[in-house]
Amino acid sequence: MWENGWRDQVWGELNRQWDIIIVGGGITGAGIFREATRAGFRTLLLEGQDFSSGTSSRSSKLVHGGLRYLRHGQLKTTLASVHERERLLDEGKGLIRPLAFLYASYSGDKMPLWMLGAGLALYDLFSLHWGHKRYDPHGLARLTPDLSQSELRGGYRYWDAQTDDARLVLRVIQEGVNAGGVALNYARAEGLLQRANGSVCGVKARDVAGECQARATEVEAKIVVNATGADADRLRSQLDMGARLRRLRGSHLIFPISVFPLKRAVSFSHPVDGRPVFALPWEGVTLFGTTDVDDKNEAPVEPKISKAELDYLMAAVTYAFPLLEINEGDVQATFSGIRSVVDSGKKNPSQESREHVIWSESGLLTVSGGKLTTFRMMALDALRKLGVRPTRNQRIKHRPVLDPVELPHESSGLEPCLRQRLLGRYGRDAWSLITTAAPGELTPVDEALGNRVLWAELRWAARAEGIVHLEDLLLRRVRLGLLLPQGAIPWLAQIRHVVLPELGWDDQRWDVEARAYANQWRQNYSLPSPAKRHLVEAA
Ligand SMILES: Cc1cc2nc3c(=O)[nH]c(=O)nc-3n(C[C@H](O)[C@H](O)[C@H](O)COP(=O)(O)OP(=O)(O)OC[C@H]3O[C@@H](n4cnc5c(N)ncnc54)[C@H](O)[C@@H]3O)c2cc1C
C-alpha cells in the first residue's frame, strides 16, 4: 500500500478540499480516521513523525476493561471497555490475545481481597465469561513459583487481553486507507489555517521526512481534528486557548524471559506507595511497569525513563520476585510514554481522571486522553460531536471494529499459529506478505530467544509499510528493538541484507540510518545513566 514513491504521490494529492483533516497518527487519530472513512468522509490523516511513534507504541499493551475504573465506581466506563475488549478479542485474533492475570495480595495491601473479588465478579459479568478464581498463598505459589511467599495473603486469577499497540494502530490506519482515506507520516501540521472569523479551516503541513524539508503546503478542510495526544495543548495554543492537559510519564522495563520467566501476568501493589504495578509476558520478553510521574519536558524531547523511575520499578521487582535475584544489569531495554490527562491540580498524578476528553474550539476538535482499548468509542464520540446523525452513527456502531479478513485456500498448509499471527497483524496484506517472502523467510529472526518476528515481516514492512527511518522498522513495524538484546543492533547486518533492496537505500544512507537508530535506542530505550553504561558498551 505504501510502496516506493507513495509519498510523492500523496503530497501531489494534498491540495484538494477535505471533509476532515486529522492531526496525529496514534490510536486516537487512527480510530477517528477509520470511522470517518467508514462514514464516507473524505479524510486525511497527518502524522508529524511515524505512525504510532507517540504514546501509542509505548503503552503497557493491554486491551483491558480497566479494574481501576471499577475502584472509582465508574461502572459504565468499565462495562463499555470490557465490551470493546471482547470485540477486539473476537475480531483481532492474532493481534489481540487473552492474557491471564494473577493479582497477588500482600499484608498491608490497601485493597481488601473481598473488594477485589467483588470487582472481578462484576468484570466477569460484564463480559459474560466467569473466569476469575480465588487462590490461597499455596495456590498462587503453584501457579507462579518465583513469587515471594513472605506476607502473601492470597489473590485472584482473572482475564484481560494484550496486543502489539503499534501494529494495532497501523492496522486501523491501513483499514482507513483501504476505505478511501489518505494517511501520511512525517507530515507535520505546523499551524492552523483560520477564516476571517477565526474559525479553523485547515492546516499548514510540512514534510519532515528528511530529504524534503522544504516541501510544505496549506491543506483545507471543513473540520480539523487535533489528535496529537499529550501535545494537544500546543495546537490549541494557536487559538489562544489556555493549557488544560497534564503530561504524565509512564515507564516500563523489559527483561529477557530467561531472566524473568513468566507464564501469566502478575499484578500487585507497590511496597512503597501502594500503586498497582505488573509484570507481563509479551512477545517472548517480560515487561514490568509502570510509573506515573509528571513529565515537565516539552515535545519534541523523546520521553525516557529517569533514574528515580528505574529505582522505583526495580524495588517492586525485587520485592515480589526476590528468588530470581534480578538486578539492573538484567534490564534488556526500557521505554516511556506520556499520558495526557485533564489537569485538575491533584497532588497525586495517579488520582487524575483517565477518561478521554473532547473539546470543540473555533472549529478545532481536540480529542485526547482515554486509552488504547476504547479507541473506537472515542472515535464514535468524536463523530457524534461533529454532528454525524445518530441513526447513521448507530449503524456504524454495530459494524465490526476491524475488517474481517481471510487467507485464500492456497494458504491451508501454513501452521495455524502463523496464519493467525499474520492475519491479525497484517489484515488484508497478510497474503501479499506471504507471497513476497523469499525462501526461508517465514521463520523467526531468533527463535532461540523466544522471538516470533519473521524475516518475511521485515521484508514486507520495508517494502510496503511507509518506512522513512530505520527506527520506524525496528521500534514499531516489528518490535525487534525491544525484543532482542541491545536493541537488535548485533542483528543489523542480517537485517540489512533483507530490507535494503526493498527500502531502495544505498550503503551511505544505511550507515546514516544505522547510526541514528543506535543513538536513538541508547538515548531513549536503554537504561538511564550511570546504570546504562554496560548496555552502551555492549552495543
Ligand atoms: C505508560 C502508559 C501505559 C498505558 N497503557 C495502556 C494500556 O495498557 N492499555 C490501554 O488501553 N491504554 C494504555 N495507555 C493509554 C494509551 O496508550 C493512550 O491513551 C493512547 O496511546 C494515546 O493515543 P493518542 O493517539 O491520543 O496519542 P499518541 O499516541 O501520543 O499520538 C499522538 C500523535 O500525534 C503526533 N503529533 C503531535 N503533534 C503533531 C503535529 N503538529 N502534526 C502532526 N502530528 C503530530 C505525534 O507524533 C503522535 O504520534 C497507556 C498510557 C501510558 C502513558
Side-chain angles (χ1 to χ4, degrees):
M1 171 160 57
W2 290 317
E3 304 195 10
N4 264 338
W6 72 283
R7 295 185 62 80
D8 293 336
Q9 192 194 328
V10 170
W11 271 94
E13 291 171 5
L14 288 186
N15 288 103
R16 37 174 148 136
Q17 176 69 40
W18 299 92
D19 292 323
I20 305 180
I21 295 176
I22 296 158
V23 184
I27 194 66
T28 306
I32 299 169
F33 179 64
R34 177 67 192 104
E35 294 306 330
T37 52
R38 221 195 268 278
F41 293 107
R42 281 167 299 167
T43 313
L44 170 68
L45 182 147
L46 298 174
E47 163 54 49
Q49 299 181 53
D50 187 26
F51 300 124
S52 82
S53 58
T55 309
S56 301
S57 57
R58 301 153 186 266
S59 77
S60 305
K61 290 128 190 38
L62 295 174
V63 173
H64 60 153
L67 276 176
R68 172 198 159 88
Y69 290 125
L70 269 185
R71 228 183 280 171
H72 294 102
Q74 294 167 299
L75 296 190
K76 249 174 97 181
T77 311
T78 311
L79 175 66
S81 305
V82 167
H83 278 175
E84 291 305 294
R85 180 193 70 193
E86 293 302 302
R87 286 188 71 151
L88 284 164
L89 273 169
D90 190 38
E91 296 169 16
K93 293 187 181 75
L95 178 58
I96 297 115
R97 68 172 194 104
L99 178 67
F101 261 86
L102 293 180
Y103 184 88
S105 175
Y106 289 93
S107 41
D109 213 331
K110 283 184 208 142
M111 182 162 49
L113 267 176
W114 68 262
M115 196 186 280
L116 179 68
L120 290 173
L122 266 180
Y123 217 50
D124 282 353
L125 280 176
F126 287 164
S127 67
L128 304 177
H129 295 303
W130 199 252
H132 77 284
K133 187 172 172 191
R134 185 165 177 162
Y135 287 94
D136 64 14
H138 298 295
L140 277 187
R142 269 196 306 277
L143 292 176
T144 308
D146 297 318
L147 195 63
S148 170
Q149 296 296 295
S150 162
E151 313 270 330
L152 185 62
R153 291 188 310 178
Y156 277 94
R157 185 212 57 203
Y158 63 97
W159 291 91
D160 251 319
Q162 75 178 167
T163 188
D164 179 331
D165 45 7
R167 291 270 11 145
L168 177 64
V169 172
L170 204 71
R171 175 145 179 212
V172 175
I173 291 180
Q174 285 176 328
E175 293 190 352
V177 172
N178 294 340
V182 173
L184 191 58
N185 56 353
Y186 292 94
R188 188 162 184 76
E190 285 197 321
L192 299 170
L193 304 180
Q194 288 173 266
R195 298 186 188 91
N197 66 3
S199 64
V200 175
C201 59
V203 300
K204 294 174 202 150
R206 177 172 295 277
D207 191 343
V208 290
E211 297 144 14
C212 312
Q213 293 266 1
R215 187 155 58 177
T217 188
E218 296 192 344
V219 197
E220 293 185 6
K222 293 180 190 142
I223 291 148
V224 177
V225 176
N226 173 10
T228 56
D231 296 339
D233 276 339
R234 185 185 295 264
L235 219 51
R236 292 178 59 248
S237 71
Q238 294 183 31
L239 301 174
D240 292 329
M241 299 294 167
R244 294 178 76 174
L245 295 172
R246 183 169 176 180
R247 294 164 56 91
L248 302 178
R249 189 174 63 243
S251 298
H252 292 80
L253 306 176
I254 300 182
F255 295 94
I257 202 96
S258 56
V259 168
F260 198 156
L262 212 57
K263 287 208 177 100
R264 304 165 182 84
V266 177
S267 176
F268 56 95
S269 294
H270 195 288
V272 172
D273 59 5
R275 281 187 59 250
V277 284
F278 41 74
L280 312 168
W282 181 70
E283 295 292 314
V285 293
T286 296
L287 301 187
F288 194 88
T290 173
T291 55
D292 202 15
V293 297
D294 279 302
D295 182 271
K296 300 292 181 199
N297 295 313
E298 291 285 317
V301 176
E302 285 261 343
K304 61 178 171 191
I305 190 170
S306 67
K307 178 76 172 79
E309 288 174 278
L310 171 67
D311 292 345
Y312 173 88
L313 292 176
M314 284 307 301
V317 171
T318 45
Y319 166 76
F321 297 93
L323 300 175
L324 293 175
E325 298 183 348
I326 296 172
N327 60 51
E328 279 177 19
D330 295 316
V331 174
Q332 173 169 301
T334 67
F335 64 93
S336 303
I338 308 290
R339 196 189 290 279
S340 55
V341 296
V342 178
D343 192 354
S344 73
K346 291 216 164 57
K347 197 165 165 222
N348 180 352
S350 299
Q351 281 173 359
E352 297 280 21
S353 164
R354 261 58 172 163
E355 297 244 32
H356 70 269
V357 290
I358 303 185
W359 298 316
S360 177
E361 296 155 323
S362 302
L364 178 70
L365 194 80
T366 296
V367 187
S368 192
K371 49 186 190 147
L372 196 77
T373 311
T374 47
F375 71 89
R376 188 187 66 118
M377 287 164 55
M378 289 166 66
L380 293 180
D381 279 356
L383 286 190
R384 224 169 278 135
K385 194 90 180 176
L386 293 178
V388 176
R389 283 176 288 125
T391 46
R392 200 172 173 195
N393 212 5
Q394 205 59 37
R395 272 186 274 126
I396 295 170
K397 201 169 172 176
H398 292 101
R399 291 192 206 151
V401 187
L402 299 172
D403 290 345
V405 278
E406 252 317 315
L407 282 175
H409 190 64
E410 301 97 279
S411 68
S412 54
L414 283 178
E415 240 183 78
C417 256
L418 185 63
R419 282 174 72 93
Q420 202 83 95
R421 174 184 174 86
L422 297 180
L423 271 175
R425 277 154 196 266
Y426 298 90
R428 198 167 101 166
D429 288 339
W431 184 236
S432 303
L433 181 154
I434 293 166
T435 51
T436 50
E441 285 185 352
L442 287 172
T443 53
V445 172
D446 205 322
E447 203 165 12
L449 290 171
N451 184 274
R452 290 187 299 147
V453 177
L454 309 176
W455 287 109
E457 294 182 74
L458 281 155
R459 180 180 294 286
W460 178 254
R463 174 181 291 210
E465 292 199 323
I467 304 288
V468 172
H469 294 297
L470 188 57
E471 68 157 90
D472 307 338
L473 177 70
L474 296 179
L475 292 173
R476 291 174 287 275
R477 300 302 181 280
V478 299
R479 314 302 297 268
L480 293 179
L482 303 178
L483 301 177
L484 291 178
Q486 298 163 41
I489 293 167
W491 283 259
L492 279 187
Q494 285 164 278
I495 292 170
R496 177 184 184 281
H497 179 72
V498 174
V499 303
L500 204 64
E502 305 291 347
L503 292 166
W505 295 351
D506 58 19
D507 291 344
Q508 195 190 353
R509 170 86 189 269
W510 175 268
D511 291 345
V512 170
E513 290 289 341
R515 269 199 303 276
Y517 169 70
N519 209 25
Q520 160 74 309
W521 186 82
R522 285 169 189 151
Q523 291 282 326
N524 303 313
Y525 289 86
S526 69
L527 287 173
S529 33
K532 78 169 166 197
R533 225 173 297 126
H534 74 283
L535 281 180
V536 175
E537 278 160 13

